[in-house]
Amino acid sequence: DTGVSQDPRHKITKRGQNVTFRCDPISEHNRLYWYRQTLGQGPEFLTYFQNEAQLEKSRLLSDRFSAERPKGSFSTLEIQRTEQGDSAMYLCASSLTGDEQYFGPGTRLTVT
Amino acid sequence: QKEVEQDPGPLSVPEGAIVSLNCTYSNSAFQYFMWYRQYSRKGPELLMYTYSSGNKEDGRFTAQVDKSSKYISLFIRDSQPSDSATYLCAMKLTGGGNKLTFGTGTQLKVEL
């Protein structure tokens, strides 16, 4: 039984570049979530998918951010024209029922 | 004012002590409550999930919910150095809400 996996685990990029992260949920989990966590804070919700449909987006998800889940399995989160304020841990979670959410190890983004 | 308040600590206790971690919340629509453990630079790990007032026990962990006071607690018995981590409370709305709202996390250190 494998958990949620995320790739890459760490990404360093220069300001203005685009980055893309991938999340593979627990198999058979049809719900997938993206959160962002900065140092000393709890995770903050970004967006939610049920199967391939993106059903909820936070106001934190500016127009530079886009997320997809094309076949209802893995998901990608892209950040265009990165800014230093985007530096954070990006966490993916999945759930079967929508109640208990299981998190991956996260992708740590550093924008220089 | 944040919807979920949690003392960031750090909290330092001797090995074998009983640890009490707490969160308060302001939104009475929160009906589902979780506790996560997060080791440094790792993703949050689900420890406890409950939706009713009262106590729920799992091994050395007890989750307590008091909806009338909008107060939740996590107790850790016989604490071990391996329990040293950040503990995050999280809550979810009833009525189909999907996102988790987290506290800031309490940093716990269990010393030998």
Side-chain angles (χ1 to χ4, degrees), chain A residues 19-21 34 47 49 54 57 61-69 75-80:
Chain A
V19 294
T20 300
F21 310 140
W34 285 99
T47 191
F49 290 86
Q54 188 174 19
K57 289 169 62 173
L61 214 64
S62 76
D63 56 5
R64 297 186 298 106
F65 288 70
S66 62
E68 293 183 344
R69 194 181 183 198
S75 175
T76 58
L77 177 69
E78 181 184 15
I79 309 174
Q80 296 182 326

Side-chain angles (χ1 to χ4, degrees), chain B residues 42-108:
Chain B
K42 304 289 186 185
E45 172 193 359
L46 181 63
L47 287 176
M48 300 286 286
Y49 166 78
T50 184
Y51 53 86
S52 57
S53 284
N55 293 354
K56 181 178 180 179
E57 192 173 317
D58 185 0
R60 296 186 296 114
F61 299 94
T62 299
Q64 187 175 80
V65 174
D66 182 347
K67 291 184 181 179
S68 62
S69 300
K70 299 191 186 70
Y71 188 89
I72 68 170
S73 299
L74 178 71
F75 298 96
I76 307 174
R77 290 182 298 280
D78 187 25
S79 56
Q80 304 295 312
S82 59
D83 294 329
S84 298
T86 295
Y87 290 80
L88 296 153
C89 64
M91 310 181 183
K92 194 163 78 76
L93 297 171
T94 189
N98 293 289
K99 72 174 188 178
L100 296 181
T101 300
F102 283 85
T104 54
T106 299
Q107 187 179 351
L108 172 67

Side-chain angles (χ1 to χ4, degrees), chain A residues 34-38 42-44 46 60 65 85-86 88-91:
Chain A
W34 285 99
Y35 291 81
R36 180 172 69 187
Q37 186 178 25
T38 54
E44 293 178 293
L46 292 178
L60 292 175
F65 288 70
D86 297 330
M89 173 84 93
Y90 290 83
L91 293 161

Side-chain angles (χ1 to χ4, degrees), chain A residues 66-107:
Chain A
S66 62
E68 293 183 344
R69 194 181 183 198
K71 296 183 179 178
S73 57
F74 73 91
S75 175
T76 58
L77 177 69
E78 181 184 15
I79 309 174
Q80 296 182 326
R81 305 181 304 281
T82 52
E83 302 172 356
Q84 287 191 318
D86 297 330
S87 295
M89 173 84 93
Y90 290 83
L91 293 161
C92 176
S94 71
S95 177
L96 184 61
T97 64
D99 293 333
E100 300 176 38
Q101 296 184 19
Y102 297 91
F103 283 82
T107 294

